[in-house]
Amino acid sequence: MKKEYFGIHVPFIAHLGVEAREIAEGEVEATLELKDYHLNPMGVSHGGILMTLLDFTMAMSAKSKAKHQGAGLTIDMSIAFMKGGQEKLIARGKVLRSGKSIHFCEATITDITGEMVAKAMGTFKLVDIKK
């Protein structure tokens, strides 16, 4: 059975093991239990995992706000990495402002220690998926 996130199947996100839920209109929380293959050589979360989780959480927040069943395309994303994450990552994304098709979002990641791991801002365009 294909795992769906807010009405769409995202194979890469499902493969990583991300769990997600809407916490309010335009706000999404996603969690990831870190496995060995999510880590960098220093034994903490790889930067690519952090970027992916932030990107996904912001895009899903835009979909939540707009009640959109299609995809969220990243137009722009800026990230600040603060520390390597440990054991479990908790990402929270929210929409800051929405237009007709463009949504401005932000997201943060904390880990099991409760400390902030990374923060991002992004701009997303919602599009229909052609089948």
Side-chain angles (χ1 to χ4, degrees):
M1 174 180 236
K2 289 183 177 180
K3 183 170 190 147
E4 288 203 354
Y5 300 93
F6 305 95
I8 61 171
H9 175 60
V10 187
F12 180 58
I13 298 299
H15 174 74
L16 292 176
V18 174
E19 297 293 328
R21 67 186 180 96
E22 181 180 52
I23 53 177
E25 183 180 285
E27 294 186 37
V28 168
E29 179 180 89
T31 59
L32 177 64
E33 298 281 345
L34 292 173
K35 308 290 185 208
D36 286 344
Y37 53 86
H38 295 131
L39 307 179
N40 66 21
M42 294 177 288
V44 295
S45 56
H46 189 283
I49 290 293
L50 299 175
M51 291 176 74
T52 297
L53 198 54
L54 291 162
D55 179 67
F56 170 75
T57 306
M58 290 188 289
M60 294 304 111
S61 295
K63 284 174 50 66
S64 162
K65 178 79 172 178
K67 309 272 188 275
H68 184 74
Q69 292 299 306
L73 301 179
T74 309
I75 295 172
D76 178 62
M77 191 162 106
S78 173
I79 301 167
F81 298 101
M82 296 167 202
K83 71 176 226 103
Q86 302 173 41
E87 297 183 44
K88 180 179 181 179
L89 302 177
I90 302 109
R92 285 186 169 241
K94 70 178 182 178
V95 174
L96 300 173
R97 183 174 171 92
S98 290
K100 277 182 155 178
S101 63
I102 304 295
H103 303 269
F104 300 91
C105 306
E106 71 177 4
T108 59
I109 297 177
T110 56
D111 67 5
I112 194 103
T113 68
E115 292 182 62
M116 189 172 295
V117 174
K119 181 173 178 124
M121 291 189 71
T123 308
F124 297 82
K125 180 174 178 67
L126 300 180
V127 298
D128 293 326
I129 298 172
K130 296 178 183 175
K131 295 187 181 203

